[in-house]
Amino acid sequence: MRPRAEPRPAGTPRTVGIVWGLLVLNTLGSAGAKTIIPLPRSLIQLVTMGSLVAAFALALALNLRLRIRASAYLFLLTLLLVSSVLSSAHLESGFGALFRCARLALFVGTLWLLSRWWDGGLTFVRHHIRMYFAVLGSVAAGLVVSPGAALPDLYGGRLVGALWPLTPPQIGQYAAVITGLAVLLVLGRRTDKASAAVVIVPSLVLLALTHTRTATLGLLIGLALAIGSLLLTSAAARRFFTWAVLCATVAAVGFSSALQTWFLRGQDQENLTSLTGRAKVWDALLAAPRTTLEQLFGVGLGDKSFGGLPIDNSWLAVYNEQGLTGVALVAAIIIVLGGVALLRPPSLPRACAIFLISYCAIASYTEAGLGDASPYLLHLAVAASLLAAPAAATPLATPEVPRRRIPRWARDREVA
């Protein structure tokens, strides 16, 4: 007997956008710059964890029948969760590791519940842009209210969150991601230029104030790959690509010294070569002795640090906390999503997915987050929703018409 096709939902409920916003709030974190009004870290953690519990409860209320869509991304993410629980069960990283596993379980469970509405459309792209634009709005408000707190000397004059503790790399990431998605929506004629400018222009200004090199390179390279996938089918993409190359050439010639100053951020050659001290932490992490079990499964979910210093590399952070098993699963996520995107025919959803996947892959070199609940996993979740095949529509049920019984004498007369 053939399985009956799942009925396609009649549109995505607006509450799904609220659930997505709660997930975004949960991944903002609780550590960062000093805010104008001091916020206790316990209060921030209460808000972020409460938002995750609320997101799961709302998603469950929307999907009480537990209708989910098969997804290689979510399947691999579930395996990563299992690996994280196994590595954290030894309590080598303390009871905090089990707490982080519970958080990751709620995070993954919420994504499974939302997968019912993953249909290859742009719904989650729009939710993504709206939510992170709201976060950037709080950053801009903090800059207006207190420029000194938003551009502190502690961070070298780089933009931070003055109302909510956000670091420059976080702000740069959010600004770069929604800028790239907004540009692609304009090229695909899914939004007007005025609406896109409202998102793109302030985001680029905030990105420039953060002096975040990783986010800038991720935006440029990700957009180049995404627009390149549209060149054969979109005249608008070809025009944009041509103008972008011309503008980049003029900027490189006419503003080379200013661009170099912005890129160096006042650092010397040694500091730049060591990636602002990251390489020293990486070398120490790789040189640390490990048992075979720790090499395979890691030491359990932690705060993405080693020796009290941030690791700032997704692959090494996963290796430290989830071992080679976690590294293999994260690599499989990137490879599977990238492979599916390459096999899809050219389209705007495919271009958006390519941008998000490539951005996460580039940022993973200097930012941690691919192995735990983070904005990067949300970016990849949006990519997975874009690459999902459209759900089969439910055919209209037609009442069965009872067959009229023909008497035998009438059938005999027809034969004669």
Side-chain angles (χ1 to χ4, degrees):
M1 181 178 177
R2 295 179 58 186
R4 186 174 59 182
E6 282 289 335
R8 183 172 59 193
T12 303
R14 291 185 178 182
T15 314
V16 170
I18 298 176
V19 175
W20 200 256
L22 291 171
L23 288 177
V24 169
L25 177 59
N26 173 254
T27 57
L28 293 182
S30 58
K34 294 182 179 179
T35 55
I36 299 173
I37 301 176
L39 300 174
R41 187 173 182 181
S42 58
L43 175 62
I44 298 175
Q45 290 176 334
L46 179 64
V47 171
T48 54
M49 280 306 302
S51 66
L52 179 58
V53 174
F56 180 80
L58 277 178
L60 185 60
L62 288 172
N63 195 0
L64 284 175
R65 296 185 179 182
L66 301 182
R67 291 178 177 173
I68 59 176
R69 297 203 63 190
S71 170
Y73 169 69
L74 292 178
F75 176 72
L76 291 171
L77 208 57
T78 304
L79 291 181
L80 184 64
L81 169 62
V82 174
S83 173
S84 302
V85 173
L86 292 176
S87 62
S88 302
H90 298 284
L91 299 181
E92 189 169 341
S93 298
F95 286 98
L98 295 179
F99 176 80
R100 293 183 179 92
C101 287
R103 173 176 176 247
L104 181 59
L106 283 177
F107 184 86
V108 175
T110 305
L111 292 181
W112 270 113
L113 292 171
L114 293 180
S115 66
R116 177 189 177 187
W117 293 280
W118 291 7
D119 58 359
L122 298 170
T123 301
F124 285 90
V125 171
R126 299 185 187 279
H127 289 324
H128 215 53
I129 294 176
R130 291 191 192 105
M131 299 310 166
Y132 280 116
F133 187 69
V135 174
L136 293 180
S138 70
V139 175
L143 177 62
V144 172
V145 172
S146 179
L151 299 168
D153 294 333
L154 181 62
Y155 284 88
R158 301 170 66 189
L159 180 64
V160 300
L163 299 180
W164 186 275
L166 297 174
T167 61
Q170 284 181 283
I171 300 171
Q173 176 198 162
Y174 307 152
V177 167
I178 67 172
T179 296
L181 292 176
V183 168
L184 292 174
L185 289 182
V186 171
L187 294 181
R189 298 180 180 178
R190 298 300 179 90
T191 188
D192 58 277
K193 295 180 180 180
S195 299
V198 171
V199 174
I200 294 172
V201 174
S203 299
L204 287 178
V205 173
L206 296 180
L207 175 60
L209 290 176
T210 63
H211 288 262
T212 307
R213 295 177 292 229
T214 300
T216 304
L217 291 175
L219 171 63
L220 296 177
I221 297 175
L223 268 183
L225 294 174
I227 296 174
S229 69
L230 294 172
L231 289 180
L232 297 179
T233 58
S234 172
R238 290 192 291 269
R239 288 194 299 269
F240 182 88
F241 188 81
T242 303
W243 280 106
V245 171
L246 290 176
C247 292
T249 303
V250 172
V253 174
F255 305 96
S256 58
S257 59
L259 291 174
Q260 184 178 7
T261 301
W262 182 90
F263 187 80
L264 289 176
R265 295 193 320 226
Q267 297 175 345
D268 55 18
Q269 187 65 30
E270 181 182 356
N271 205 359
L272 182 63
T273 304
S274 65
L275 296 173
T276 322
R278 290 184 177 95
K280 298 178 181 178
V281 181
W282 299 349
D283 293 340
L285 187 150
L286 292 174
R290 295 177 183 272
T291 64
T292 303
L293 192 63
E294 289 175 344
Q295 287 182 345
L296 289 177
F297 296 103
V299 298
L301 291 183
D303 58 357
K304 313 297 177 287
S305 66
F306 181 80
L309 296 174
I311 297 175
D312 287 339
N313 181 290
S314 285
W315 303 101
L316 291 179
V318 171
Y319 169 69
N320 182 55
E321 297 181 354
Q322 291 136 308
L324 294 175
T325 304
V327 172
L329 289 172
V330 171
I333 289 173
I334 299 293
I335 293 172
V336 168
L337 287 177
V340 172
L342 293 177
L343 294 175
R344 289 283 191 270
S347 65
L348 178 59
R350 174 187 184 237
C352 292
I354 290 175
F355 169 74
L356 292 170
I357 297 167
S358 57
Y359 181 89
C360 291
I362 294 168
S364 67
Y365 184 65
T366 57
E367 295 292 335
L370 285 181
D372 203 349
S374 69
Y376 292 105
L377 292 189
L378 286 182
H379 302 334
L380 294 178
V382 174
S385 74
L386 292 166
L387 297 174
T394 306
L396 294 176
T398 56
E400 184 177 355
V401 179
R403 295 181 60 185
R404 188 178 63 178
R405 186 174 182 181
I406 303 175
R408 182 176 180 182
W409 62 267
R411 291 200 303 267
D412 294 341
R413 180 176 295 178
E414 289 179 1
V415 173

